[in-house]
Amino acid sequence: MMTPHMTDRIEGIYLDAVRRNGGELEFHQAVREVLGCLGPVLVKHPEFGKHKIIERILEPERQIIFRVPWQDDKGEIHINRGFRVEFNSALGPYKGGLRFHPSVTLSIIKFLGFEQIFKNALTGLPIGGAKGGADFDPKGRSEAEMMRFCQSFMTELYRYLGEYTDVPAGDIGVGTREINFMFGQYKRITNRYESGVVTGKSLNIGGAPVRTESTGYGLVYFLERMLQVKKEALEGKVCILSGAGNVAIHAIEKLQQLGAKVIACSDSGGYLYDENGIDLEALKYVKLAQRARLQAYLRHRPEASFVAGGNIWSIPCQIALPCATENELNGKDAEILVQNGCIAVAEGANMPTTPEGAQVFLEAGVSFGPGKAANAGGVATSALEMQQNASRDSWSFEHTETRLQEIMVGIHDLCYETAEEFGKKGNYVAGANIAGFIKVARAMVELGLV
Ligand code: GLU
């Protein structure tokens, strides 16, 4: 277990949560990681215990599960399951992405929503935590099918949303195109041009510049700061990243801008290895313009290789950035990375490292930035998009990117200092969980028993 020490009271709360949320393994995992860090917080803040903040925070304020019927291009009918878990609104409207992927279950959405509470708190911006999605597979679907699915999804979800209530965005399988379709349907049903009701929109309809790039860029800013603490520079470092989606592509872009060398990335079919450094233009063309499989990159760079089914973490590197999905980097992978000389890991995905993997990194002195801190740049820029929409303004790329960078440095420093204050210097997992929890807990106490 990540942080083996749980006090009796916290352990009791954890076991109760496991019993009441039977079979939701990913949710249990996310809860265990956070609760394992909270013992010293209750000692310092007995008021949180008295107000039963941990017990309350584990129970979502509202959980919505709904049917999403739609027709494919051949006229065949399909039924999917939609979710929105509105977890906590102590700090602001519910905020968090929508994931469209066949693996989506209530447990996945709850773990993501739970993490989102603390991530959003760390940004310092006024946003609560939520997550949603559907067990729908976008792979191979035409644009018309995507539009019909998004419209059907929003036809049910719209009644729970609002710029002051709940503000979705993208996640795996949901990008600008899907957000635009959902915004269009919301606008049509409500007859309101309520720009701030979803984020990640395209620039023409109120999107924020940098939102597309923000998770990947923010991840690299966080990494850069972690390296600075270690008196290391990013320039010249050899990096590998899992994933080849929005987060990975823009992390590669920023890494290359800052002089790092990225030699590998992956998709669910295997990994791509390009020893001279990944050609970002070719990668963008294959993944963003063509929406093709990663292997198609070889048509542009025949000297690269694609290892079907291969384990990307076996490639020697100094920096590893898991940017694909949950539990994709386990204890064994972490050991291999450490043996190969890896000095820093920052999570672009949500909970990609297993508890055993995180433990290996901590014990080996590898700087380890957990997702709820390191990938918070996406949601932080979403909050900037909400600000921009509320002020009916439009900001420049430079202005927004500068704010993103300041926010990421702020998150890093808050996690670092909080870990130190609680006797866990260098442990960003503890720092993120404790700092995020304290912000939400204070607000919950102040709001009374609601
Ligand atoms: N899905 C992203 C995340 O995991 C972004 C959420 C948002 O922008 O609301 O934080």
Side-chain angles (χ1 to χ4, degrees), residues 36 79 93 133 135 160 211 235 246 264 297 318 389 401 431 442:
I79 306 297
D135 60 351
Y160 304 102
R211 177 63 191 90
E235 203 179 341
N246 182 47
Y297 175 94
Q318 291 160 297
N389 293 153
E401 193 183 3
R442 284 203 172 117

Side-chain angles (χ1 to χ4, degrees), residues 95-98 112 116 119-120 131 167-172 199 211 215 350 375-376 378-380 382:
K95 182 83 198 86
L98 299 170
L112 290 164
Q116 201 83 40
K119 181 194 306 196
N120 293 4
K131 205 82 187 193
V167 182
D171 196 82
I172 293 171
T199 60
R211 177 63 191 90
T215 312
N350 291 314
N375 74 32
V379 76
S382 277

